[in-house]
Amino acid sequence: MTIPTAILFPGQGSQESGMGRDLADADRDAMEAWKKAERISGLDLRAIYWEGDDKAMADTRALQPALTVVNLNLWRVLSGKVSPAATAGHSLGEYSSLAAAGVLHTDAVLELVSLRGRLMADADPDGKGTMAAVLKLSLADVESAVAEVAAATGEMIGVANYNTPGQYVASGTKAAIAALQDAVKLRKGRALPLPVSGAFHSPLMKEAAAEMAKALEKASWSPARFAVYPNVTGKATTDQRVLQRLLLDQMTSSVRWIDTIAGQYSDVVRRFVECGPKGVLSKMVKPILDARPDAPTPESYTVETVGSREQAEAFRG
């Protein structure tokens, strides 16, 4: 019997030194994908990610096309072995999910994520915005702290990522994020500044989103071959018009990953396969499902990470 499977694609934060090299060295098409991404982005992505300088690897201009290549090269190996019921990608990873579902062509996705990386890097030339992970607090406490800081400072701040019931990410001005650290500490939580170049998934990305809209409008869109769960809603759709609109909204809206995973489980997904390096998303599945009112037993679903050539080749659908 086929187990209903969701393919999950990671985003920024999942990069690592040497990612994707094992598959590219053994597969001509995988290597060509790297070369294509380098031509599109104008960056020497293989040197950056295969030689492993942390600062260079964190640059969103390089990271977005490079991680997308890794995700999609791994998916190309898996695609002949599994017929997914659903897919989703975390932030940047949503572009990989749209390629996997046949909504956007791979070449178009590489063009779009390269543009997205440049726009996001240039969206805050004065360095006004930043982000912080908020840990060990309930959603109510996180939202209370954010609202308190917004009222007290008059600065822009919001919840950018709803990752798990114990892990959220706030996005806003540097002044607001600094104040949030104090507000979180008072509530017995932790707020950890993130090494990012702007306040992503917030209104500070509005100008970048306006430029991105032009490129998304020019792209060729098709209905999804299986359900896609967009970050903005966490709800399944195959409608390319809805997916296009929500992909644009994603730049200035929150990533609702808790709703995404919970929604996939409610819609009968029982196997979660992360297609990308490091296994960041795989670690989020259990805490999300454990927080459901009808928390499923660990035996009722499986979670796997496919982040290397060896894992991709060993995968069984």
Side-chain angles (χ1 to χ4, degrees):
M1 183 178 73
T2 301
I3 302 172
T5 300
I7 305 295
L8 310 177
F9 294 97
Q12 296 190 99
S14 288
Q15 69 273 14
E16 61 182 0
S17 177
M19 65 179 189
R21 185 170 190 169
D22 57 345
L23 184 54
D25 282 344
D27 185 300
R28 180 181 300 177
D29 290 337
M31 184 67 80
E32 284 303 314
W34 277 97
K35 293 177 180 178
K36 182 177 293 184
E38 289 176 340
R39 290 193 297 270
I40 291 170
S41 67
L43 299 170
D44 192 348
L45 302 176
R46 284 171 291 171
I48 294 170
Y49 290 93
W50 293 357
E51 295 173 12
D53 176 82
D54 287 344
K55 184 176 180 181
M57 288 196 300
D59 186 335
T60 194
R61 287 166 289 204
L63 192 159
Q64 298 209 28
L67 185 60
T68 301
V69 166
V70 177
N71 289 351
L72 292 181
N73 276 344
L74 290 167
W75 167 245
R76 189 168 52 80
V77 178
L78 295 191
S79 61
K81 301 180 177 185
V82 61
S83 297
T87 186
H90 191 282
S91 190
L92 167 66
E94 188 165 314
Y95 286 80
S96 295
S97 73
L98 292 171
V103 179
L104 290 169
H105 191 274
T106 299
D107 289 357
V109 164
L110 290 177
E111 295 274 2
L112 289 168
V113 297
S114 295
L115 173 61
R116 186 178 186 265
R118 293 193 299 272
L119 291 173
M120 290 174 70
D122 296 340
D124 188 9
D126 299 326
K128 291 169 56 180
T130 190
M131 304 175 78
V134 181
L135 309 175
K136 299 185 177 180
L137 289 183
S138 68
L139 174 56
D141 281 341
V142 172
E143 293 181 332
S144 170
V146 166
E148 178 182 296
V149 167
T153 65
E155 298 279 338
M156 197 290 296
I157 186 170
V159 181
N161 292 20
Y162 296 79
N163 286 337
T164 75
Q167 182 193 119
Y168 302 91
V169 176
S171 184
T173 65
K174 288 182 176 177
I177 295 298
L180 179 69
Q181 293 180 66
D182 293 332
V184 166
K185 187 175 182 181
L186 286 172
R187 290 166 169 81
K188 309 301 183 184
R190 295 175 63 199
L192 305 177
L194 300 178
V196 295
S197 58
F200 303 148
H201 298 290
S202 82
L204 291 180
M205 291 291 112
K206 185 176 180 179
E207 290 186 12
E211 289 298 313
M212 199 70 198
K214 301 173 185 177
L216 293 176
E217 186 65 32
K218 292 178 182 177
S220 178
W221 295 75
S222 300
R225 292 194 292 262
F226 41 83
V228 178
Y229 288 69
N231 289 177
V232 175
T233 64
K235 297 179 180 179
T237 183
T238 58
D239 188 325
Q240 71 267 37
R241 294 164 298 180
V242 172
L243 291 166
Q244 179 180 350
R245 174 174 55 81
L246 294 179
L247 188 63
L248 174 60
D249 290 347
Q250 186 220 70
M251 290 192 75
T252 56
S253 301
S254 303
V255 175
R256 298 192 174 276
W257 197 248
I258 296 172
D259 292 342
T260 296
I261 298 301
Q264 289 181 340
Y265 187 86
S266 293
D267 295 340
V268 308
V269 167
R270 293 297 180 267
R271 186 185 193 189
F272 298 88
V273 179
E274 181 176 2
C275 190
K278 286 184 78 170
V280 171
L281 300 181
S282 298
K283 297 179 179 71
M284 295 182 183
V285 174
K286 186 177 187 300
I288 291 172
L289 296 184
D290 282 350
R292 288 170 56 98
D294 58 342
T297 63
E299 295 78 20
S300 69
Y301 63 92
T302 61
V303 183
E304 300 163 59
T305 301
V306 177
S308 67
R309 173 194 170 197
E310 181 180 6
Q311 290 171 333
E313 292 179 346
F315 181 83
R316 294 291 178 266

